Amino acid sequence: MDRKLDPSRDDLPLMANTSHIRVKHYALDLDVDFESQIMEGTIVLFFESENRFRKRSISTEETCQSESSEARTVRMPEACHVPGTSTRTFSSKTGHSDFVICGKGEKDTAGKDGNHDNWEQASGISSSKYCCDTGNHGSEDFVLVLDCCDLSVLKVEEVDVAAVPGIEKFTRSPKLTVISELRNQIVRELVTLPADRWREQLDYFACCSQAPGCGELLFDTDTWSLQIRKRGAQTATDFPHAVRIRYRTNPQGRSITWTSDQSSRPCVYTMGSPLNNRALFPCQEPPVAMSTWQATVRAAASFVVLMSGERSAKPTQLQEGRSSWHYYVTMPMPASTFTIAVGAWTEVKPETCSSNDLAAEGGSFSPSDADFGCVEVCCHMDYPCRFQNASAAVQEIIPHRVFAPVCLQGACQETLLPLVPPCLAAAHSVLGTHPFSRLDILIVPANFPSLGMASPHIIFLSQSTLTGRSHLCGTRLCHEIAHAWFGLAIGARDWTEEWLSEGFATHLEDVFWAKAQQLAPHEAREQQELRACLRWRRLQDEVRSSPEEMQVLRPNKEKTGYVSDSGSSVIKHGLNPEKVFMQVHYLKGYFLLRFLARRLGDDTYFSFLRKFVHTFHGQLILSQDFLQMLLENIPEEKGLELSVESIFQDWLESSGIPQADDILWESLHQRQIALSALRSCHAWGTP
């Protein structure tokens, strides 16, 4: 990092050295204990080293460019070197380090912050000291750095994947005599299996995750990271490619919330930002570390485990009144998108069964059911993509379930359940193929800090969306459904560009909701104008009351997307407590997209948006990727006076409210005057 981490600052550090080694798959195995408010178990990480994932990235880009002249790949910003500061160094010659090894049966020496490390201050990670010497000119060991906080790490070990029966099929070089090289070769072959062998890959990941250990690894923790090394492994290529970490969470861990639901029953759920999942499991938080995962979670038989996963998991009954739940995901995504919720939830079913309900109960499309006719050319890494599934492309309503505390079952049946099919169908009519095969919706406990949160295959909704008329529930549901495309299937390469997720979802929620209500064009336009007016008023208030630096949608400007040589970076204002309640990135992003749609015309804009989704799904983007493709795909007469640079200057890199379109603001001002007579603004459910 370029500076020593200062707890008084509000930037969030991303410490993982993803430029040298990346997790390709996580296998979690956890027990949930409500009495102690702890999750404990293991996570196995399967890695790919730098030279491998860079070669595959180049190959994918070349394939896309040759298959379609219109297919575009994400521009990868060049790395910017960040000088290192204070750090610890390790030498394979001395045999001495400050790392600790703590077995499961040993005393837990974790400090009050939940980590073994008890340094007086958090230290920065040096890109020069903690990264591999790729030329192998020095004697220092490679150090794997994972994002981690509020966890008690008990043991770290290499996994003997070579002990798995049948695994020899993944050994290409029978001449290999060094067993560590053989193990790494097995993992390299396993993580790069083609998409049509996804089930075989998952099965072997599961078997490997249960394989015995073959040597404990040295590890240490500080405030924000877990560092692991193996003596003598001087490069990422030499470092073990399958590592098991035994750990337990902290009851006060900032990634998960232990609480009671509205029926006074205990439950736990992931919070999402700002810390994401680093206090749930050690991981690589930078978005570029896109991975798949599978998880087995055990809890008392009276609880339901919901999770990001492609199948609607059913519990396996265990002895002593416990159940086991298993989920998996085959679409690579950032670890921050993983979500779990455990509680005494009740599945809410319709009182009468309609044709839509039958469709929802018919089971989800999985890759094994797919008809992978080539519907679109895809430029993402290889996985079983629904955009190449001819059946999925015409599936307007994906299978869905609704869960809630028992006391809210009636309210969900009356308000939420009837809205799900039309909102899903509306989203499909605008953007096309649903990126995910199914959807669970959970009404979360009353202490949930926002109206909703979207994750792969699961949406959290606040109980407040069930009150009053259907507008609030419908618009919020549409907002979270929109995140399946913008925020999940297409993610921001730099987390400071939140508008790429929230601005799009806010703009699309109006479009989806109007279609879900089957409004006539003039009715839809009237509703959207009124909602724009309310948002305009909210944006004015927020600009007046917030610091100017918090109003900028692209705060890193020309350095957006840049990381250190190791891959570490910081998220500007990521820990600022005020940011949680601010909506500038929602509202300014919304007005930018509204401005562009008005300039181009709705037909042109939404036709382009569908094309953009088909081009960039499964990838990470920066603002310029969207804007450049937009300007290249619109008629020249409609793009007059528009440029990426002018939009950056007027909308993304300036504080306050842009003066880009006087007609737009004049229209909103007139609407605001008319709206001042209304006293039921809350019924429109603005964000």
Side-chain angles (χ1 to χ4, degrees):
M1 305 296 290
D2 60 339
R3 60 177 173 79
K4 196 169 185 177
L5 294 177
D6 181 355
S8 68
R9 295 181 63 99
D10 62 4
D11 294 342
L12 173 67
L14 302 182
M15 309 295 277
N17 50 347
T18 55
S19 291
H20 300 288
I21 191 168
R22 290 184 188 173
V23 180
K24 302 305 295 181
H25 187 79
Y26 295 93
L28 289 97
D29 188 275
L30 296 175
D31 285 282
V32 180
D33 185 347
F34 280 98
E35 184 175 345
S36 61
Q37 296 190 339
I38 283 174
M39 295 186 191
E40 182 171 356
T42 63
I43 182 169
V44 177
L45 295 78
F46 297 88
F47 295 98
E48 187 174 38
S49 57
E50 172 191 21
N51 59 338
R52 300 284 295 189
F53 64 71
R54 291 201 183 278
K55 285 180 183 178
R56 289 198 302 108
S57 175
I58 293 172
S59 175
T60 299
E61 291 181 11
E62 291 176 347
T63 300
C64 287
Q65 291 168 357
S66 64
E67 288 183 350
S68 171
S69 60
E70 295 181 351
R72 296 159 47 86
T73 55
V74 178
R75 297 163 192 78
M76 296 186 64
E78 296 180 0
C80 124
H81 176 71
V82 181
T85 56
S86 166
T87 186
R88 299 181 179 187
T89 60
F90 311 98
S91 170
S92 59
K93 291 182 179 179
T94 63
H96 173 270
S97 76
D98 293 325
F99 279 78
V100 297
I101 297 177
C102 178
K104 182 178 180 182
E106 298 179 41
K107 181 179 179 181
D108 179 12
T109 58
K112 64 181 180 180
D113 62 354
N115 293 329
H116 281 280
D117 178 68
N118 58 1
W119 299 350
E120 292 183 1
Q121 297 184 29
S123 67
I125 298 298
S126 163
S127 60
S128 61
K129 295 293 186 181
Y130 272 67
C131 296
C132 60
D133 178 3
T134 54
N136 199 22
H137 300 302
S139 60
E140 293 174 356
D141 293 333
F142 170 80
V143 177
L144 169 69
V145 182
L146 300 174
D147 294 293
C148 173
C149 70
D150 302 340
L151 296 177
S152 294
V153 178
L154 307 176
K155 181 180 180 181
V156 182
E157 63 181 348
E158 182 177 0
V159 179
D160 187 8
V161 296
V164 174
I167 202 73
E168 60 272 5
K169 69 172 69 175
F170 298 112
T171 55
R172 284 189 175 184
S173 303
K175 296 181 180 180
L176 282 178
T177 57
V178 180
I179 187 63
S180 61
E181 294 181 7
L182 180 65
R183 296 188 189 107
N184 283 358
Q185 183 188 81
I186 290 171
V187 176
R188 283 195 295 267
E189 296 297 320
L190 182 57
V191 300
T192 55
L193 282 180
D196 59 2
R197 296 175 65 183
W198 70 272
R199 185 171 290 283
E200 177 187 12
Q201 185 184 51
L202 275 178
D203 289 343
Y204 273 106
F205 277 139
C207 293
C208 289
S209 69
Q210 299 299 318
C214 56
E216 295 190 23
L217 302 176
L218 303 171
F219 72 92
D220 197 8
T221 59
D222 61 24
T223 302
W224 292 111
S225 70
L226 166 65
Q227 307 113 39
I228 305 170
R229 77 176 178 99
K230 179 181 179 179
R231 287 194 181 98
Q234 296 182 353
T235 70
T237 303
D238 299 332
F239 188 81
H241 282 27
V243 173
R244 180 185 293 115
I245 302 170
R246 176 167 293 278
Y247 72 98
R248 69 169 65 103
T249 63
N250 188 314
Q252 287 76 46
R254 286 166 284 177
S255 292
I256 49 180
T257 296
W258 300 86
T259 185
S260 296
D261 66 17
Q262 293 85 341
S263 296
S264 300
R265 297 179 179 180
C267 62
V268 61
Y269 62 89
T270 46
M271 287 293 296
S273 58
L275 290 184
N276 295 307
N277 286 320
R278 67 181 70 188
L280 175 61
F281 56 88
C283 58
Q284 291 183 327
E285 285 278 28
V288 295
M290 298 173 71
S291 60
T292 55
W293 59 76
Q294 60 194 105
T296 298
V297 177
R298 290 169 294 276
S302 58
F303 292 100
V304 173
V305 178
L306 300 177
M307 199 185 307
S308 304
E310 292 172 14
R311 281 287 190 181
S312 301
K314 302 296 182 183
T316 300
Q317 298 304 317
L318 306 176
Q319 295 179 351
E320 301 176 355
R322 294 181 68 78
S323 296
S324 175
W325 302 71
H326 183 75
Y327 290 85
Y328 63 84
V329 163
T330 60
M331 175 181 176
M333 283 174 289
S336 59
T337 62
F338 178 92
T339 298
I340 184 173
V342 184
W345 324 118
T346 297
E347 184 176 356
V348 181
K349 296 185 177 181
E351 295 178 329
T352 58
C353 192
S354 67
S355 59
N356 284 338
D357 302 326
L358 290 173
E361 292 174 1
S364 59
F365 283 112
S366 74
S368 60
D369 304 322
D371 173 17
F372 284 102
C374 188
V375 178
E376 295 291 336
V377 174
C378 294
C379 293
H380 51 66
M381 64 183 73
D382 191 28
Y383 68 85
C385 177
R386 283 175 55 83
F387 285 82
Q388 296 182 32
N389 181 338
S391 299
V394 297
Q395 188 182 24
E396 296 182 1
I397 303 171
I398 56 174
H400 53 274
R401 304 182 298 178
V402 173
F403 290 85
V406 64
C407 65
L408 295 176
Q409 184 173 357
C412 287
Q413 284 178 326
E414 179 181 354
T415 303
L416 174 59
L417 208 57
L419 295 176
V420 181
C423 290
L424 288 171
H428 180 274
S429 71
V430 176
L431 296 179
T433 306
H434 287 280
F436 302 105
S437 59
R438 67 173 197 92
L439 176 64
D440 283 340
I441 302 171
L442 173 66
I443 301 299
V444 285
N447 65 344
F448 187 70
S450 67
L451 286 176
M453 183 177 78
S455 301
H457 307 283
I458 186 168
I459 286 173
F460 290 173
L461 286 182
S462 166
Q463 69 173 39
S464 62
T465 62
L466 301 177
T467 60
R469 298 164 58 187
S470 62
H471 286 286
L472 178 57
C473 188
T475 55
R476 196 64 203 188
L477 179 60
C478 286
H479 182 100
E480 304 306 336
I481 288 174
H483 278 310
W485 287 267
F486 291 95
L488 296 174
I490 301 174
R493 178 175 290 275
D494 188 319
W495 279 347
T496 61
E497 293 200 302
E498 293 174 82
W499 83 272
L500 289 170
S501 173
E502 298 301 351
F504 276 93
T506 304
H507 188 242
L508 286 167
E509 75 177 62
D510 290 358
V511 181
F512 292 178
W513 181 230
K515 287 186 175 293
Q517 295 173 285
Q518 298 182 338
L519 297 181
H522 73 279
E523 294 175 315
R525 187 163 50 252
E526 179 71 16
Q527 184 181 90
Q528 291 168 14
E529 288 295 317
L530 287 172
R531 289 176 60 78
C533 181
L534 292 169
R535 292 190 178 109
W536 166 247
R537 176 184 295 175
R538 177 66 181 269
L539 180 58
Q540 286 180 310
D541 291 342
E542 192 150 296
V543 166
R544 282 193 292 264
S545 61
S546 62
E548 286 191 2
E549 63 177 1
M550 300 287 285
Q551 302 169 18
V552 180
L553 301 188
R554 194 171 179 259
N556 292 332
K557 299 185 178 180
E558 69 277 1
K559 293 189 179 297
T560 300
Y562 280 51
V563 296
S564 74
D565 288 347
S566 71
S568 62
S569 62
V570 295
I571 305 302
K572 197 172 182 66
H573 306 304
L575 293 175
N576 191 311
E578 295 181 13
K579 190 175 182 181
V580 178
F581 304 101
M582 292 186 62
Q583 298 196 354
V584 166
H585 46 286
Y586 290 75
L587 300 174
K588 283 183 70 173
Y590 159 81
F591 280 113
L592 168 57
L593 297 172
R594 175 181 163 89
F595 160 70
L596 293 173
R598 287 168 64 96
R599 174 67 69 91
L600 274 58
D602 283 350
D603 290 344
T604 300
Y605 174 77
F606 285 105
S607 175
F608 159 76
L609 199 60
R610 192 162 177 146
K611 181 178 180 180
F612 180 80
V613 165
H614 281 284
T615 300
F616 279 99
H617 69 274
Q619 301 176 66
L620 303 172
I621 65 170
L622 298 172
S623 294
Q624 56 263 40
D625 295 305
F626 170 73
L627 296 173
Q628 286 175 356
M629 184 174 175
L630 174 69
L631 297 180
E632 290 170 4
N633 282 268
I634 61 175
E636 185 175 348
E637 64 273 12
K638 293 186 177 182
L640 294 177
E641 300 180 3
L642 283 180
S643 67
V644 174
E645 292 73 20
S646 65
I647 294 173
F648 276 177
Q649 180 178 345
D650 294 338
W651 289 92
L652 302 182
E653 296 181 355
S654 301
S655 60
I657 299 175
Q659 301 300 318
D661 191 337
D662 293 337
I663 298 176
L664 174 65
W665 304 137
E666 181 181 351
S667 171
L668 287 174
H669 180 67
Q670 293 172 349
R671 288 280 178 181
Q672 186 171 351
I673 294 174
L675 192 64
S676 63
L678 299 178
R679 293 291 181 263
S680 57
C681 293
H682 65 279
W684 295 98
T686 56

